[in-house]
Structures are given as C-alpha cells and as structure tokens.
Amino acid sequence: MESGAVDTTASRSRASVAIRAENVWKVYGSGEAEVTALRGVDLELARGEFTAIMGPSGSGKSTLMHCLAGLDVVTRGEIVLGRTTVTGLRDKGLTRLRRDHIGFIFQQFNLVPTLTAEENIRLPMTIAGRKPEPAWMAEVIATVGLRERLRHRPHQLSGGQQQRVACARALVPRPEVIFADEPTGNLDSRAGAEVLRLLRKSARELGQTIVMVTHDPVAAAYADRVVFLADGSIVTELREPSAEAVLDTMKLLDAVEG
Amino acid sequence: MLRATLKNLLFRKLRLLLSGLAVVLGVTFVSGSFVLTDTLGRSFDDLYALQYRTVDVQIRPAPPKSTTEDDDEIRTGVPADLVTRVRSMSGVAAATGVISVDGARVIGSNGKVVTTNGPSRLGSNWIGENDLVRLRAGRAPADGDEVVLNAALLDAAGVEVGDRVGILTMQPKRTFTVVGVMEYAGGRDSLGGNLEVSFHESVAARLMLGRDEVYSAVDVEPAAGFAPGAVRDDVRAALGSEFRVQTGAELQATARKDAQSDLQLFNGILLAFAAVSLLVGIFLILNTFSILVAQRTRELALLRALGGSRGQVIGSVVLEAIVIGVTAAAVGLGLGVGAGTLLAWLFSTRGGTGLELAGVGVPSAAPIAAFGVGVLVSMVAAVSPALRASRIPVIAALQEAATPDRSLAKITVAGTAVAALGATILAVGYSRDGQPWFAGAGAVAAFIGLLLLTPALARPAVSRIGRVFSFGAAGQLGRLNSARDPRRTAITATTLMVGIALITGMNTVLASINASVRDRVTDTMMADLIVAGDTSLADDPPTFDPAVLERIRSLPGVAAVAGTYQSQAQIEGNPASIAVVTDIPALAHMRSIKTTEGTLADLGTDRVAVDERTARERSLHAGSIVTVKLAYGDARHLTVAAVYTGGEGVAPWLMPKSVVKDLAVPQLSGVDLTVTGVVPFEDVRRDVETLLRDSPEITVTDRDGYIKRQTSQYDLVVTMSQILLALAVLIAVLGVINTLALSVLERTRELGLLRVIGLSRGQTMRMVTVEAVIISVFGAMLGTVSGTGLGAAAVRTLEASGITTVAVPWSRITLYLSLGAAAGVIAAVLPAARAARTNALDAISYE
Ligand SMILES: Nc1ncnc2c1ncn2[C@@H]1O[C@H](COP(=O)(O)OP(=O)(O)O)[C@@H](O)[C@H]1O
Ligand SMILES: [Mg+2]
C-alpha cells in the first residue's frame, strides 16, 4: 500500500512539481523519550493542486507540514520546494524562503492584533519591502470577500473573517505553496465551509498550490487529493474524494491501528 | 509543556529581579549613606580626640556677639602680652602662644599652589615637639627663613628637605628653606588632611596674622592639682568677655558638632538620591505587578472560583511584594555597607583628606531604614495591582485570557483635576509674595497631575514620536506595539520622566541663574579686565601686594584702575563684608555704582558708604553714625556719607582708606581696570598677568571670565545633577528592560507568527528596539517638558534674589532626549535578542 502511493506520485509529470519530499524522517528526543514522528515519507505535490493531509491524531500531519515548510528541521531525507532545497538551509535562508515562497494559514492567532485587516494582508509584502500588484491585491480581496472589512482590526472580525484575512494574506505574495494547518479547526461548520470553498477556489481559479492538514473528512473532501498518514508514514491517498470516501478510509485506518 | 513552564518561571524571576533592582539601588543609597556618615563621623571623633589631647584650656578672641559659630570669626589675634599675664596666674603651670591659621599656600615644585578639597592649609609657629607633633626628619626652624612642613604637604608639594619653596601668606610670596618634616601622634602624615607649614616664631605672627606680637590662641596648662575646668573659670574671669576660654574637651565637642552637621548635609544629599531611585522603584514594581496580575487573570479567577476570598487574592500579591521588598532590602543593605565602606576609603585615600578611618561599623539606622524602606516601597507599589486582582470576576476563569482595555477615563479625569488644582495653587503662590513653598506645592501637584495624565497622553504622543523612528515594516510594528497598552507604556515612560524632570528642572534653574548673571553683568560691569582671586566673594579672598596697583596703572594701554581691599568687620556688633576702594569714582563707573543719597566722591578718613538694601534693613541714611570694629584697633564711629545702588559684586559697605592698616589682611584683593584701546587688549592682559606672576592664586579675567566665575559656585550642583542623571537613566533602563521582557514574553505567539511569515531575526530585533526607543523618548520628552516647567516655577520664586531671566537649557534638553533614545536602545538589547530567538513553531502549537 505504501509503495503504491509512491508509484502514483512518481508517475506524474515532474515539471509541475511544487514540492517534493524524499525519504523524510523526523525523530524527536532521544533515548527513552525518543518519538519517531515521520518514517521515510516520500511525497510530491503538483503545482496548482489542493492537497489535504489526513490522518489520526498523532500520526505526524503537523510534523510533516512543518518539515515541508522549513519550520522544523528533518532528521533525515530531502525536501525541495520549487527550485530550492529546503533541507540544509539556515535561519536566514529559511526566513527568506518563508517570506518569498511560502504562505501560511494556521488554526488561530493568525493575525497581528495591532494591524488592520488590510495591513495584515500586506504584511508579508511589507516585511519583504515589496508592493503587492494592485490588480492582484484587488482580485484576492474580492475573492475572499473582505472589501468592507479592510479597515477593521482582528478583534472586530469574526473567526471566519479572520481566517479569510489569513487566506488573503497567504495568497497576495503568490507563494509557491500555501500551507494550512487545520484552518477550520476553530470555526463553526458554516464559516469553515466558506474558508474551504475559498481555498478550493484559490487553487482552481488562481492556480495556487495548497497543502492543508486536517483531521476532518468533510474538510478534506474539498481537496483535489487526500494523502493519508498513519504512524508517521503515508499509507494511501484518494483523488477527487467525497466526504464519505474519506471517512471510510479513515475508519479503515483506525481499525488497522486499533 | 514543562519546559515552557520552567522557562516562564525563570523569566518571571528575572522580571522580579529587574523590578527589585530599583529598590536595591535605593536601599543601597540609603544604607550606604548611613554607613559612610557613621564611619566618617567616628573617624572625625578620633581625629579631634587626638588633636585636642594636648590642650587643657585654650584662650581665643571672642567671636562677634551675634554669631555662635566660628565661621564668621574675624581673623584677629590674642595679644602676646596676654601670655605673660596668664602665665603668672595661680593654678597655671604654663601658657604657650600658638598660631594656627588657615591660609599658608605653598607653591609646589610644579609652580602651582598646592590645594586641598576642604582641609585647611595651616600656617603655625613652631613651638617644639610635644605629644601631638614630632619631627620625622630634619630639624626645627632656626630663623625666619626656615620652615618645617608636615609630611602630607611635603608630599603634595613634591619638595624635599633642603629645597626652597615659595609660600603665600598674608604677605606676598616669600621663599623659605624647608629644614624639617613633621608628623603627628601615631606617625600620621596629616591631621584630617590638613596641610601645615610651621614657621619660626619670629615671623609666624606677621605672616599668618598680619602683624607682630599676636597669637591665634593661647594654650594654658594647669598646675598640678588644678582641674582644667577650674583654671578655665579663673582665666575667663580675669580676661573678660573679649576672649573665649574653653577646655580641650569643650573644643573637641564643638569641632565634633561642626563635623557632624557637615556630615548631616552630606547624608541629606545622598538620601535625596535614594529617594529618587526609590520613587522610580515604586513605578517599576507597580508596572511589574500590574502585568503579572494581568497575566495571571485566569489563574486568580480560578482561585476565586474555587472559593478563594478577595483577601486571599490580595494577600498572595502583597506577599510576593513583601518577599521582593525584603530580598531587595537585604541585597541593598549588603551593597550599601560595601559602597559606604568603599566611599569612606576613597574619601580618606583619594579625597585629598588623609582622614584616618575608624573601623567600619553598621549603625542600627542602616538596617532599620533598609528593611523599612524596602518593604514599604514594594507594598505601596503592590497595593493597586492587588486590589485590581481581587476585583477579577470569577467568570474570567472561563473566558479567553484577553484583558479588556481598561478605560482611561477615571485616571484622566483625576489627572486633569490634580493638574488644574496644582496650577491654581501655583498661581496663588506667585500672587502673594513670600510664599515660595506655596508655589512649590503647586508645582509638585501639577507634576503629579501630569503623571496621572501620561496614560491618556501615551497613545497620541507615542504614535507621533513613532513616526520619526518607524521606517520599514519592523519599525512600523514596533511603533504600533509601543501604543498597544497605554498604561504600561505610561508607567514605563514615567520611570524615565521623573529622573529627567528633576535634572531638567535643576538645569533650567542653573541656566536661568546663568542668564540672569550674564544679563546683569553685561549691563553693569564696565571694567575690561578684572584682577581677583578665584572666589571673588569669599570672606578670605586671596590677596596680593598693593604695590602692583601702581604698576598696573602705569602700563601702556591702561585707562583707569580701581583697587579693592576686601575684608570683614563688626558693624553695630554684626559681622559685615566691607571693602576699601582706592578710587571710588573709577570703581563707581566700572561697576555701575549709583548714589541715591549723599555723595560718594571721597570718603575722607571717617565716612562710609552703604548699599541701599543694607541701609533699608538697618534704617540708615546719609548722616547716620555707625560703630565699626575692624580686626585690629579700637571701635570707630563713622558717618554714612552716601547710600548707593548697583555695584556689581561690590561689598555692602565701603570704608575710607584710613582703615586699611587695621584690616586682618592689609592687602589688595582685586583690581578693576579699563583699557584705552590703543594697545591690543591681549597685550594689556599679558602685561597685567606678568605683574601678578608672584600671586598664582590671582587671575586676570575679562568680562566673560568674570561671569563664569560668578556662576562657578554652581559647579557642584551641576556635578550632582549629572550623578542624578546617571542614576535616573540607569533605573529607567531597568524599567524599559522589564516592560519589554514582559511584552516579548506575552507576544511569543505573535512573534512566532511574524517569524513564520518572513520577519527576519534582524527585523525582529529592530521592532523591539523601536518600541523601546519610542517609550524612552516619550519618557524623556515628558521629563524635559515637565522639568522645564518645574524649573521655571522655581526660578520665579527666586526673583527676589535677582534671578529674573528664565532660560531654557536647550542643549541639555537635546542631550537628555538623545540619552533617552540611547537608553531605549540599550534596554532593548536583551529583550530583542530574546524575541529574535522566538521559535516559530511556538506560534502555531496549541497543545
Ligand atoms: N516537539 C515535539 N517533541 C516531541 N514529540 C513531538 C513533538 N511534536 C510532535 N511530537 C510527537 O510526534 C508525533 C506526531 O505529532 P504531530 O505531527 O503533532 O501529529 P498530528 O499533527 O498528526 O496530530 C506525536 O507522537 C507527537 O507526540
Ligand atoms: Mg496536528
């Protein structure tokens, strides 16, 4: 089953690969306290695709995402993002990589409380000392539907609106990849659905590569592709999944684990 | 999770340490000053015990009736025939005439006059070795050409036995041969740092007292079986009120009392420094506890939810404050004992005092004050946060920990009210004269009002100041952060404000005094060159040979000259400064003397002139008769010929030339001159300086130099204000570090987020630094503005003393603002480094 997943990705065209992980291991701690969070993960994500990483709690989803995004260092293996080899970069290189090639959306605490929605959206560009293209900026804002809220500060926005601001912030610099870690984990289902639709739209209409970590089958069903992780390894994947199919696979995994 | 908790605890300790540090500093000052003054006090006691141990009974001229202190004593002497008279009295074994007078200035091997930082430069008559004085090397002076120096002086002058040295006394410079070195009991080089020249008996009186056949005192040794007290009473009865007769024990007690009161003043200054740092310490602790309480809202609410009473919540906060206070006091006490000892040691070895230190002791006042102050200060600071903690609603335990913006309305209203009240009192204080304390109270109230208004001012002010510093995204973020919590920003800024306000106030007063003196001198001083000693208004100014006057007069390029003899007299029984002027019309022109009554042209032999203020005080008019007693000679009855105003730096009494011979020092103390302009100014100055080569204490200055000399008495205040500045900035740096450390800790998540979306380490550090600089500059601005206001208020109360110009010390203010910014940069170093190390992953882990 593991090798099957690798075969599937390997068969896809290399030219359109946004991010590639090869034999990635991640070990936390040492001795008694040693935890192997990732065990030889191989993964390729196509450009413009919306991928969900699914798996039971503790299966290593977050760890994988952190490693892919250069937030955490891998114990072994290689990660290449676009044309950059992430593994081996030092703080300066990683900072630049995050600034120029990666966007992030987290579960919460996504926004800087002192800045307005618009300032938050511009922040990565401001930090990099660049100006967003006005047309693109307008398009993104229209897509996330926040035109009326640009002057508001985070505490004046609902959770769903805050996540949409975070999406816009991730989209505006046109990063190679956007990583989203449980972006709807803190939202009610209605607000969550809005954010997920927005992510799907960003991938389909704006061509944005998106990697989303979730444990919610309904959320995963919005993705083009779902990669299943169990105990630090990729066990299987689904394409154009329905929520039911994801749920069934999850149950299967739980049963295997249990 | 455990690691995070540990980290947090460690960080909290650091925070408590930082806030305690200001208290430590204050307590160090308090206990250090007690230890220092106690040690010095006991050292002086030992010194005087030694110094007076050879004296049983001493006769000295009586001081003027109206004064009890020796300070105002006219330098006069005990006639020599008195010694023989006393010697023949029953109960007296021996009577020795001694001379020991300040004012023997030795010119060192470097050509400069040897000076001290306070101790006297005694000139004495050599009366042989005794219990106190011994020859260490060489021999006694055999004639008027030979002297013995004490070991300290020999060293300070850089001369050796056999060398020739120039010595300035009441007489112009004379050269002597050093034939011996003397030391004191216990092999001491000096008694309390005093330098001493012992002259031969035949010349000592003339040199040190200005005439022959006098002594400064007579030491009386009782015959066997006679108590000093009894002999004193006998001698006193025999000599009458013209002399003061005291036992050695009494003299020792008087000297002790004088030394103690000097030390009290010193102690007071140190305690004032302590008060400043403790005041700021209160703000620091207040800030720390406010933040701690805010952070622990949930924890405290949980405590309440579980049944904890309000009292328990208050107790837990106050207890923490007491622990800080006690710890800080203990540390401060230790440091204070160390610092006090060190200062006493420096005072004795480096201070040019040569005081032999008694053992170091810790007076009980030190620990009492240390712990009292430490605990009190931290408790005062903790009260408001504790009360706030007790008001946290139980429901807060269940809510997000976000602390809502507390309204600033109450504090702003209170601040406005207090400031308005202060302004009103100030206005009232000015309107009725003679009530400077009223104005002072108003100024202080207005200042407190401003303190209360700082939170309301913080947001708008900080965002404006921020514009200057907020280039780039990092600067922008830092600027926004500084405006985030106006209370916190305000309290932090206040730590700097208090200190800077004090210094700016002091400097405003000084600048105003300077400006006023400059204005006055520019208007009234017409002399082109002023020849005088360095301290122009002192009671015993340095003097020089009157023959110099005529030589100056005949220099090419000199238009007019007026010489002045400055001295002290008793007028109607009160001590008064007097002057004898060689050419009154010339001086009247050069120092803008205007006659308001009578005529001033010539005082003849029995007329005097008095300045208007003194005349008013004593109800004198042209024609009044006054009784004048000079250092020597009988009382004279002189007629007031004129009353004058103006007279820049001129004594309030002008005497006729006939009194010169009866002055303590019949020597010129100053010459004013104007130039013709034909000869270059600098040439004239050089020629005059050449004529005064033998009087190294006399300087020749132009008007600018004169102004400088007039204001040089404030140099000590300037030094003190610099120490105060250093202290204030140091404490403020602690305050800013404290606040930033807390903020960085609170914003771990946010910092992580910023790092994740691409903020570099450098940018992170810049962001924190900008925040620190903005807060510090805000504090410095508040300080300079309020300090200028306080200073101006103080200046207005000085109007009566002729300080009429209010000057703003712009260059100082600029300096303080830049120092504020620098303090911010320094304070930011640690928190910024810490912020830059924030792990990006911390921002996004929710477990
Ligand atoms: N910083 C860490 N130190 C030690 N163990 C960790 C750390 N982060 C994650 N782990 C462990 O690695 C495994 C994978 O964690 P994670 O990637 O967070 O799983 P998921 O996101 O799928 O719930 C878990 O067993 C977790 O306990
Ligand atoms: Mg996770």
Side-chain angles (χ1 to χ4, degrees):
Chain A
M1 204 162 182
E2 203 174 296
S3 57
V6 174
D7 284 346
T8 326
T9 40
S11 65
R12 294 180 66 83
S13 157
R14 290 213 169 232
S16 60
V17 166
I19 189 161
R20 179 164 52 82
E22 242 171 55
N23 192 27
V24 167
W25 290 72
K26 176 71 192 180
V27 182
Y28 288 112
S30 60
E32 287 281 287
E34 193 175 284
V35 179
T36 307
L38 297 176
R39 313 170 176 271
V41 172
D42 291 302
L43 183 65
E44 269 185 14
L45 298 172
R47 191 159 283 152
E49 208 167 49
F50 180 11
T51 309
I53 299 177
M54 281 285 294
S57 178
S59 57
K61 306 183 293 289
S62 296
T63 305
L64 176 60
M65 193 202 95
H66 295 161
C67 290
L68 291 176
L71 291 173
D72 211 346
V73 285
V74 302
T75 312
R76 180 137 51 94
E78 192 184 54
I79 292 163
V80 179
L81 195 144
R83 261 172 282 159
T84 316
T85 306
V86 178
T87 38
L89 282 181
R90 306 190 44 129
D91 184 74
K92 215 172 220 150
L94 286 173
T95 302
R96 198 166 302 139
L97 177 81
R98 291 195 300 260
R99 198 181 73 190
D100 298 337
H101 300 297
I102 300 178
F104 289 95
I105 303 163
F106 303 110
Q107 183 175 345
Q108 51 182 327
F109 307 118
N110 251 312
L111 306 178
V112 176
T114 46
L115 301 178
T116 63
E118 184 175 356
E119 287 164 343
N120 262 294
I121 294 171
R122 289 172 181 273
L123 188 58
M125 307 290 285
T126 320
I127 288 173
R130 287 186 280 141
K131 283 229 170 344
E133 295 162 37
W136 174 244
M137 175 91 184
E139 189 177 348
V140 169
I141 288 170
T143 311
V144 299
L146 280 168
R147 210 185 305 264
E148 311 302 312
R149 302 276 167 189
L150 289 177
R151 304 231 157 275
H152 290 60
R153 286 185 201 280
H155 66 93
Q156 297 166 311
L157 298 172
S158 72
Q161 287 167 335
Q162 289 186 24
Q163 288 305 76
R164 274 151 55 201
V165 173
C167 291
R169 182 193 62 206
L171 284 166
V172 164
R174 297 196 205 245
E176 195 80 35
V177 190
I178 288 177
F179 291 101
D181 192 355
E182 312 259 13
T184 58
N186 246 16
L187 303 179
D188 59 46
S189 56
R190 182 121 153 267
E194 243 172 67
V195 170
L196 289 163
R197 267 200 299 276
L198 173 62
L199 289 176
R200 187 170 59 191
K201 197 164 138 197
S202 307
R204 296 209 174 139
E205 293 174 15
L206 310 175
Q208 178 65 55
T209 314
I210 298 173
V211 180
M212 174 178 74
V213 165
T214 181
H215 64 266
D216 175 9
V218 179
Y222 281 83
D224 301 322
R225 176 185 174 202
V226 184
V227 176
F228 289 88
L229 215 57
D231 198 18
S233 303
I234 293 177
V235 286
T236 184
E237 66 165 76
L238 293 171
R239 293 208 148 266
E240 312 292 338
S242 66
E244 292 73 33
V246 176
L247 193 60
D248 289 344
T249 313
M250 283 296 285
K251 277 185 185 145
L252 204 69
L253 288 179
D254 281 344
V256 173
E257 292 231 328
Chain B
M1 190 65 218
L2 181 69
R3 226 177 85 206
T5 314
L6 279 178
K7 240 198 236 168
N8 192 27
L9 199 73
L10 202 74
F11 221 65
R12 200 163 133 203
K13 259 200 204 133
L14 182 69
R15 207 149 67 215
L16 296 179
L17 182 84
L18 282 171
S19 52
L21 221 51
V23 180
V24 168
L25 219 56
V27 170
T28 301
F29 264 99
V30 172
S31 47
S33 56
F34 278 123
V35 170
L36 175 63
T37 43
D38 175 75
T39 306
L40 292 183
R42 283 181 298 105
S43 308
F44 278 115
D45 287 354
D46 291 356
L47 174 70
Y48 297 134
L50 184 75
Q51 194 170 340
Y52 289 107
R53 85 177 183 194
T54 54
V55 178
D56 295 304
V57 176
Q58 194 176 67
I59 307 165
R60 284 189 298 164
K65 273 171 270 164
S66 63
T67 58
T68 49
E69 299 297 325
D70 299 19
D71 299 349
D72 296 323
E73 196 174 334
I74 298 173
R75 189 192 286 187
T76 173
V78 182
D81 54 18
L82 201 87
V83 180
T84 0
R85 205 175 127 202
V86 171
R87 207 175 273 153
S88 64
M89 285 175 62
S90 72
V92 172
T96 317
V98 292
I99 292 170
S100 182
V101 179
D102 194 5
R105 291 98 69 202
V106 172
I107 299 166
S109 56
N110 60 359
K112 297 229 167 72
V113 172
V114 178
T115 56
T116 68
N117 297 333
S120 305
R121 292 174 290 183
L122 300 173
S124 60
N125 57 337
W126 178 258
I127 51 169
E129 291 183 309
N130 57 26
D131 275 0
L132 183 63
V133 177
R134 242 197 332 266
L135 273 173
R136 179 182 287 180
R139 56 174 176 80
D143 60 44
D145 227 22
E146 297 180 346
V147 290
V148 167
L149 307 185
N150 74 3
L153 177 53
L154 193 81
D155 193 47
V159 296
E160 278 168 47
V161 174
D163 287 355
R164 304 276 291 166
V165 290
I167 302 178
L168 303 165
T169 57
M170 285 199 169
Q171 307 236 314
K173 180 180 142 186
R174 275 182 58 178
T175 314
F176 301 83
T177 306
V178 180
V179 295
V181 190
M182 59 183 184
E183 63 175 30
Y184 307 89
R188 295 164 190 240
D189 288 354
S190 157
L191 284 180
N194 287 347
L195 305 178
E196 184 170 353
V197 184
S198 214
F199 297 99
H200 188 257
E201 179 82 37
S202 61
V203 295
R206 174 143 292 276
L207 293 174
M208 296 313 303
L209 292 165
R211 62 204 54 231
D212 297 322
E213 298 295 306
V214 287
Y215 293 109
S216 53
V218 178
D219 284 352
V220 181
E221 191 188 319
F226 286 84
V231 173
R232 174 199 59 195
D233 293 344
D234 288 351
V235 175
R236 196 180 278 167
L239 298 185
S241 66
E242 228 182 303
F243 298 95
R244 182 145 83 170
V245 188
Q246 284 172 298
T247 62
E250 286 168 340
L251 289 166
Q252 188 185 332
T254 312
R256 267 187 69 171
K257 214 180 75 205
D258 289 353
Q260 295 295 352
S261 75
D262 283 354
L263 286 174
Q264 283 309 306
L265 183 73
F266 191 46
N267 201 9
I269 294 170
L270 290 176
L271 290 180
F273 285 161
V276 172
S277 68
L278 287 169
L279 179 66
V280 179
I282 290 181
F283 286 109
L284 259 173
I285 296 190
L286 177 68
N287 208 7
T288 308
F289 275 98
S290 304
I291 299 171
L292 289 184
V293 166
Q295 284 181 336
R296 284 163 60 198
T297 299
R298 285 185 93 162
E299 183 192 323
L300 292 168
L302 194 65
L303 189 74
R304 297 271 283 130
L306 298 177
S309 70
R310 282 191 162 194
Q312 280 171 316
V313 170
I314 295 180
S316 77
V317 176
V318 170
L319 183 72
E320 205 167 318
I322 293 178
V323 170
I324 292 187
V326 170
T327 316
V331 175
L333 179 62
L335 290 175
V337 172
T341 313
L342 182 72
L343 282 176
W345 178 76
L346 285 175
F347 184 81
S348 76
T349 56
R350 300 289 149 84
T353 57
L355 181 67
E356 206 153 296
L357 284 189
V360 172
V362 181
S364 56
I368 293 173
F371 284 101
V373 156
V375 172
L376 194 75
V377 160
S378 22
M379 277 185 50
V380 165
V383 162
S384 140
L387 285 178
R388 203 175 318 132
S390 76
R391 288 201 209 101
I392 292 171
V394 176
I395 189 79
L398 313 169
Q399 294 168 337
E400 255 313 306
T403 33
D405 259 6
R406 277 178 299 131
S407 159
L408 297 175
K410 250 197 234 164
I411 195 169
T412 306
V413 169
T416 313
V418 174
L421 183 72
T424 316
I425 299 177
L426 193 64
V428 173
Y430 283 146
S431 65
R432 44 159 122 160
D433 21 351
Q435 297 286 359
W437 66 268
F438 215 74
V444 170
F447 185 69
I448 292 172
L450 181 62
L451 278 179
L452 294 174
L453 284 174
T454 43
L457 290 174
R459 203 162 260 166
V462 148
S463 101
R464 280 190 183 80
I465 298 167
R467 278 200 201 128
V468 182
F469 300 99
S470 55
F471 28 82
Q476 200 56 38
L477 287 167
R479 173 184 161 209
L480 290 169
N481 283 340
S482 66
R484 215 158 164 165
D485 184 341
R487 273 169 200 267
R488 193 184 291 187
T489 299
I491 298 181
T492 311
T494 311
T495 55
L496 191 57
M497 168 187 173
V498 172
I500 296 221
L502 283 175
I503 307 154
T504 310
M506 251 153 122
N507 277 293
T508 304
V509 173
L510 288 177
S512 302
I513 292 176
N514 254 316
S516 302
V517 169
R518 184 168 288 277
D519 287 355
R520 194 188 73 217
V521 171
T522 312
D523 287 351
T524 59
M525 176 59 96
M526 304 300 155
D528 294 314
L529 283 172
I530 300 109
V531 178
D534 288 330
T535 46
S536 61
L537 279 176
D539 289 347
D540 279 326
T543 55
F544 51 94
D545 190 348
V548 171
L549 182 68
E550 288 316 312
R551 283 185 223 131
I552 293 176
R553 195 194 300 281
S554 52
L555 283 175
V558 171
V561 292
T564 303
Y565 298 80
Q566 179 107 27
S567 194
Q568 295 283 301
Q570 280 182 58
I571 297 178
E572 301 290 316
N574 296 306
S577 290
I578 61 162
V580 178
V581 179
T582 57
D583 184 343
I584 291 184
L587 191 81
H589 166 67
M590 287 189 268
R591 299 218 174 192
S592 303
I593 298 176
K594 302 268 177 304
T595 313
T596 57
E597 269 185 58
T599 47
L600 191 54
D602 182 16
L603 295 173
T605 56
D606 56 359
R607 290 193 298 273
V608 298
V610 58
D611 86 343
E612 195 178 36
R613 192 150 133 204
T614 313
R616 203 174 338 111
E617 277 166 17
R618 305 202 180 177
S619 312
L620 296 171
H621 295 282
S624 305
I625 307 247
V626 288
T627 312
V628 177
K629 173 95 178 65
L630 298 158
Y632 298 100
D634 295 329
R636 299 151 188 260
H637 303 285
L638 303 174
T639 312
V640 175
V643 177
Y644 62 88
T645 58
E648 164 60 30
V650 174
W653 291 92
L654 298 181
M655 298 276 156
K657 279 175 228 157
S658 60
V659 307
V660 168
K661 64 178 172 38
D662 287 332
L663 297 180
V665 189
Q667 300 254 340
L668 275 181
S669 56
V671 172
D672 291 354
L673 60 102
T674 51
V675 297
T676 55
V678 179
V679 179
F681 183 72
E682 286 308 318
D683 290 359
V684 177
R685 184 208 281 255
R686 197 160 13 86
D687 288 346
V688 175
E689 275 168 355
T690 311
L691 288 177
L692 286 155
R693 219 177 8 212
D694 277 350
S695 305
E697 291 163 306
I698 305 293
T699 48
V700 181
T701 53
D702 53 15
R703 247 168 290 180
D704 274 343
Y706 178 81
I707 293 168
K708 258 194 215 104
R709 192 186 296 159
Q710 294 301 301
T711 50
S712 67
Q713 49 185 312
Y714 304 109
D715 288 354
L716 181 68
V717 183
V718 171
T719 311
M720 265 168 44
S721 83
Q722 276 155 356
I723 297 175
L724 201 63
L725 172 68
L727 190 68
V729 171
L730 176 67
I731 297 176
V733 167
L734 292 180
V736 179
I737 293 179
N738 199 16
T739 301
L740 286 182
L742 287 165
S743 302
V744 165
L745 191 80
E746 275 179 342
R747 297 177 200 151
T748 302
R749 242 177 229 293
E750 186 183 321
L751 285 166
L753 172 71
L754 288 167
R755 293 281 286 130
V756 166
I757 61 173
L759 199 70
S760 70
R761 285 201 171 144
Q763 284 175 311
T764 311
M765 292 178 78
R766 214 173 313 141
M767 174 177 80
V768 175
T769 306
V770 165
E771 182 179 354
V773 169
I774 291 174
I775 294 177
S776 308
V777 170
F778 175 47
M781 269 171 80
L782 285 171
T784 49
V785 170
S786 57
T788 310
L790 284 177
V795 168
R796 288 212 41 188
T797 65
L798 293 176
E799 238 164 39
S801 341
I803 312 304
T804 46
T805 315
V806 177
V808 178
W810 290 114
S811 65
R812 291 269 150 185
I813 287 177
T814 318
L815 174 73
Y816 298 157
L817 288 177
S818 353
L819 270 177
V825 172
I826 292 167
V829 170
L830 283 177
R834 151 108 198 173
R837 279 202 311 273
T838 302
N839 186 350
L841 284 174
D842 284 353
I844 44 182
S845 44
Y846 325 111
E847 288 79 15

